[in-house]
Amino acid sequence: MEIARKNSELVTENIKQHLQTQFIGHECICLKEIDSTNNYALKLMRSNIVSNGTLVISNHQTTGRGRRGKKWFSAKGKALLFTVIFTELNQNIHLPMLTFVGALSVAEGILQNYPQLKPVIRWPNDVLINGKKVAGILAETLFHQKTSGKANTGAILGIGININQTQRDFPPEIADTAASLFMFIRRRISRLKILVSVLEQMEKLYFALEEGQEKKIWTKLKRISSTLGKGVKIKTSDDKIVTGTAIDIETDGALLVRLDSGKQMKFYSGDIEEVQWND
Ligand code: BTN
C-alpha cells in the first residue's frame, strides 16, 4: 500500500480512508496530546458509551505507561501511540492471549511493509529488531457494569511503536536498548502505513481467537519468538535469582523454563522482577 505523504497525517479521515477492517478503528479518536491513550481508553470504557474496536491514538503522551509501572517515553510526533478498545471479551479470549495478538500484529505489520527488518517477539510481548526494542504492548482488562446491569469484562490493547525517532530522541537510560524503524531503514516512515497494517493484522488474529483457533496464533508466535531456546536469568518478585533455558510458551501465556537443576518451572510475567536473555 502506497500512501501519499500529504495524506499520511494521523487524522481520522486518513485512517478511515485506508483501513480495511470490519470493526477495529471504525470509531477513531485522534488526539494531539494526552497523558496516556490507555488511561483515556479506560475512562471511555467506564462511561459505557464506546463501541467495540474503538481506536484512541495520540501524537504525544505526557505520561505514557509501560509494563510493571514503568514509563513509556516517546518524542512528539515520531512514534505510534495507540490503544484499541474491546468492549466485550469472548470467553475464548484471555489477557495473555490478547497481549500476544498485540505483539504478533505489530511484528506482522512491520514485516508486511519491511520484510528485511525481520522483527521477533521477546517473551512476553516486546517486539525487537536486531536485538533492540522497537515496540511494547500494555494490555489491561476492565470489569464493568453495562447499562443493562449485566457485568462484563472488556479489555484494552495499548501499543507503542518507535517509528521515526533518531537515537538522540531516546532518553539515555534506554538509548542502548531501544530503536526505531527509521534507524534501520534510514528514511522517514509513514506512521499511517504501519498503523493500518498493524490494525488489519490485529483484526485477523482477533477473529481467529474468537473462533477458537488459538493454535494458529500459537504456531505463529513460536515461529517468531526470539526467546525459545535461550538461556535466561530470572529475578523473581520475591528476589530469588534462577537460571535456565526457555523451552516453551504455554497456552496460558507462561514461560516454561528448564532450570539448571533440571527441574521445569513456569513463570508468569507478573511473578518476574527482571529477566535477562543470553544467546
Ligand atoms: C512496555 O513495553 O512496557 C509496554 C509499553 C506500552 C506503551 C503504549 S503507548 C500507547 C499506550 N498508552 C500507554 O500509556 N501505554 C501504551
Side-chain angles (χ1 to χ4, degrees):
M1 175 191 34
E2 273 313 311
I3 297 177
R5 191 165 176 173
K6 70 176 169 53
N7 294 331
S8 72
E9 223 183 303
L10 282 178
V11 292
T12 307
E13 191 192 347
N14 290 343
I15 296 172
K16 286 198 173 169
Q17 188 192 338
H18 291 97
L19 194 61
Q20 291 185 332
T21 52
Q22 291 180 39
F23 76 104
I24 290 185
H26 282 206
E27 284 300 323
C28 178
I29 299 167
C30 295
L31 306 162
K32 271 198 172 147
E33 186 172 280
I34 190 73
D35 54 349
S36 144
T37 55
N38 269 30
N39 291 353
Y40 192 99
L42 285 172
K43 275 187 210 139
L44 269 185
M45 199 135 87
R46 280 191 201 102
S47 73
N48 269 327
I49 46 160
V50 64
S51 53
N52 196 24
T54 296
L55 169 73
V56 180
I57 182 159
S58 185
N59 205 39
H60 182 54
Q61 293 185 134
T62 50
T63 44
R65 295 193 282 116
R67 283 188 298 119
R68 292 189 283 118
K70 287 193 180 163
K71 285 191 182 139
W72 182 263
F73 175 83
S74 200
K76 209 177 261 184
K78 296 194 172 182
L80 273 171
L81 307 163
F82 63 95
T83 304
V84 177
I85 301 178
F86 298 97
T87 49
E88 217 161 306
L89 280 194
N90 164 310
Q91 60 183 23
N92 284 336
I93 304 179
H94 52 84
L95 200 63
M97 227 26 211
L98 191 66
T99 309
F100 292 142
V101 161
L104 261 179
S105 57
V106 171
E108 293 193 340
I110 294 174
L111 210 52
Q112 208 172 46
N113 291 284
Y114 301 105
Q116 69 273 36
L117 292 183
K118 300 190 177 72
V120 293
I121 297 173
R122 182 177 63 191
W123 183 87
N125 49 27
D126 294 338
V127 180
L128 309 185
I129 295 174
N130 268 0
K132 307 263 175 162
K133 179 161 169 173
V134 295
I137 321 290
L138 180 63
E140 299 179 280
T141 41
L142 183 74
F143 186 72
H144 62 127
Q145 203 93 30
K146 293 194 358 172
T147 30
S148 62
K150 217 177 119 198
N152 177 52
T153 305
I156 60 167
L157 197 46
I159 299 187
I161 313 177
N162 300 329
I163 307 283
N164 283 316
Q165 294 100 319
T166 60
Q167 189 150 19
R168 278 194 285 173
D169 287 321
F170 292 105
E173 60 274 22
I174 55 166
D176 288 340
T177 52
S180 70
L181 302 191
F182 170 84
M183 286 161 66
F184 298 106
I185 298 293
R186 287 274 147 221
R187 66 190 142 80
R188 192 195 149 274
I189 288 169
S190 158
R191 287 185 296 167
L192 180 61
K193 190 161 88 168
I194 303 293
L195 174 73
V196 166
S197 296
V198 171
L199 294 179
E200 289 176 356
Q201 292 301 324
M202 186 187 290
E203 188 173 272
K204 279 192 198 141
L205 295 165
Y206 185 83
F207 282 150
L209 261 194
E210 272 199 330
E211 287 159 14
Q213 299 176 35
E214 265 200 19
K215 228 176 143 193
K216 192 169 159 184
I217 313 270
W218 234 234
T219 312
K220 281 174 184 272
L221 183 74
K222 288 187 185 176
R223 200 181 298 143
I224 205 171
S225 164
S226 69
T227 301
L228 298 178
K230 290 263 172 77
V232 287
K233 184 174 177 186
I234 293 170
K235 185 173 174 203
T236 59
S237 45
D238 54 355
D239 259 359
K240 287 198 185 98
I241 303 229
V242 292
T243 53
T245 306
I247 53 172
D248 205 359
I249 300 170
E250 304 269 284
T251 46
D252 58 1
L255 184 70
L256 185 66
V257 176
R258 187 187 307 112
L259 300 180
D260 294 341
S261 64
K263 196 176 144 200
Q264 292 190 3
M265 231 173 135
K266 274 168 86 166
F267 291 94
Y268 294 88
S269 57
D271 308 328
I272 288 176
E273 195 63 36
E274 199 183 310
V275 52
Q276 285 167 17
W277 307 101
N278 307 309
D279 289 308

